Amino acid sequence: MQDHPSGAKFSDTKPQRSLFERLTALISPEPENRAELLEILHDAHERSLIDADALSMIEGVFQVADLSARDIMVPRAQMDVIDLNKPIGEWMPLVLKTAHSRFPAVDGERDKVVGILLAKDLLRYYADESFNPRDMLRPAVFIPESKRLNVLLRDFRANRNHMAIVVNEYGGVAGLLTIEDVLEQIVGDIEDEYDLDDTEDNILSIKDSARGQRWRVKALTEIEQVNETFGTDFPNDDVDTIGGLVANHLGRVPHKGDVFEMGGLRFEVLRADARQVHLLMVTRIPPAPAETQ
């Protein structure tokens, strides 16, 4: 290999930083924690060095590391399952209505998940008179409520799984998660042709043995629906959604981790990006104990 004029081999040379770059490094040292890094990224966004979508995805990656399965799972009560003890004709309408690609298969009750049935495998039902859905089941993957989403995403990719059943500390089924649920924390909501404008899952009730009753609320939920659910009286004169009301209350775009009280409810921001809030956790504020005379 030909020597570099300076005496060092070309492969060993490193690009020399300019005087300005070295002075900037001295004045603005590297970030020492995540908060400082995010502050730099927000500053880069304000100076149009990165766009809002890129900033949102970077923030989503950080949020995935902070969230656990219990934070975004579909609660047990809202799971669409098929009961293998029932005739196919009884649960086939559910398969057609929901249009999911896979379903947890249970043996009589929701705590007895025996496998995962892919909707495409049901095509054989119409061609084979001896079709038995139990023969089509794929193994179910069970995870604890505390499993971190970044670890779960890595497991999904490594094992080529798309769905996991979340279990509580007693081994009972608490809910389910799909790889799409995890990816949506990074890239935002993923909608397909089967995603309808349905308000049923805007507010999901979560029973947590450790923290009591909570509700996971989408920020795009209309204030009227929030008022009906929680018995509140939030105004909808200026904004239509609870996310807009939260932003007005804080006077800025909400940040992930923000916790505040409003209208007798405690709000925690579960997911937000540089432009808007996406997901909230809501709990009722217990009434103050009556003073004794």
Side-chain angles (χ1 to χ4, degrees):
M1 180 181 293
Q2 186 176 359
D3 288 344
H4 191 270
S6 64
K9 292 183 178 181
F10 181 76
S11 60
D12 293 334
T13 62
K14 296 182 180 179
Q16 294 294 319
R17 293 189 300 173
S18 66
L19 177 61
F20 175 77
E21 289 175 327
R22 282 179 284 174
L23 289 174
T24 301
L26 291 174
I27 298 172
S28 302
E30 296 180 354
E32 296 182 354
N33 53 52
R34 184 185 300 180
E36 291 184 3
L37 176 57
L38 284 173
E39 186 176 345
I40 293 173
L41 291 171
H42 277 272
D43 180 65
H45 169 250
E46 291 176 0
R47 291 187 289 137
S48 300
L49 297 178
I50 59 175
D51 61 25
D53 289 333
L55 177 59
S56 176
M57 284 190 284
I58 295 172
E59 289 179 322
V61 170
F62 287 143
Q63 292 174 16
V64 161
D66 291 333
L67 296 175
S68 59
R70 69 164 61 91
D71 293 320
I72 69 166
M73 69 181 182
V74 176
R76 167 191 168 121
Q78 277 80 37
M79 289 170 46
D80 294 321
V81 303
I82 59 173
D83 187 351
L84 297 178
N85 287 340
K86 296 180 179 179
I88 296 178
E90 289 191 19
W91 45 259
M92 185 63 77
L94 173 69
V95 173
L96 297 174
K97 177 183 177 182
T98 58
H100 297 318
S101 59
R102 47 186 52 80
F103 294 83
V106 303
D107 194 0
E109 56 185 76
R110 290 175 180 259
D111 276 334
K112 294 183 179 179
V113 177
V114 295
I116 305 297
L117 181 63
L118 272 59
K120 66 179 182 180
D121 289 337
L122 290 174
L123 293 173
R124 302 185 185 183
Y125 167 66
Y126 296 99
D128 186 356
E129 294 181 357
S130 61
F131 176 82
N132 185 346
R134 292 181 183 270
D135 297 334
M136 300 290 105
L137 296 182
R138 313 296 174 94
V141 175
F142 298 90
I143 62 171
E145 291 178 300
S146 59
K147 185 151 190 170
R148 291 291 175 183
L149 295 189
N150 58 330
V151 178
L152 177 59
L153 182 59
R154 185 170 65 243
D155 291 348
F156 273 146
R157 295 177 58 192
N159 301 320
R160 297 186 178 181
N161 292 325
H162 289 258
M163 176 179 288
I165 306 300
V166 184
V167 295
N168 58 30
E169 58 184 312
Y170 305 105
V173 173
L176 66 79
L177 267 179
T178 66
I179 190 171
E180 181 180 297
D181 295 326
V182 181
L183 291 175
E184 284 185 338
Q185 305 306 307
I186 300 175
V187 300
D189 291 340
I190 303 172
E191 296 185 357
D192 58 31
E193 65 271 28
Y194 298 109
D195 286 332
L196 304 177
D197 186 15
D198 193 348
T199 61
E200 290 184 0
D201 63 346
N202 280 346
I203 302 176
L204 292 180
S205 175
I206 301 174
K207 293 182 179 179
D208 190 327
S209 57
R211 289 177 280 186
Q213 184 73 39
R214 301 184 297 160
W215 291 264
R216 195 168 71 242
V217 181
K218 291 182 179 179
L220 291 179
T221 304
E222 292 188 355
I223 294 175
E224 183 178 354
Q225 185 182 359
V226 173
N227 286 338
E228 290 177 358
T229 302
F230 297 103
T232 50
D233 190 25
F234 294 131
N236 58 357
D237 300 329
D238 299 326
V239 291
D240 297 323
T241 67
I242 188 63
L245 187 67
V246 165
N248 281 359
H249 177 78
L250 295 177
R252 56 173 171 77
V253 176
H255 301 154
K256 190 265 178 183
D258 282 342
V259 179
F260 57 92
E261 297 179 359
M262 182 173 61
L265 301 174
R266 179 175 291 108
F267 292 83
E268 178 184 357
V269 178
L270 290 183
R271 183 157 59 92
D273 58 32
R275 295 171 294 182
Q276 64 185 110
V277 59
H278 294 284
L279 198 62
L280 301 160
M281 186 67 74
V282 179
T283 56
R284 294 189 187 277
I285 300 174
E291 296 183 1
T292 57
Q293 297 293 333

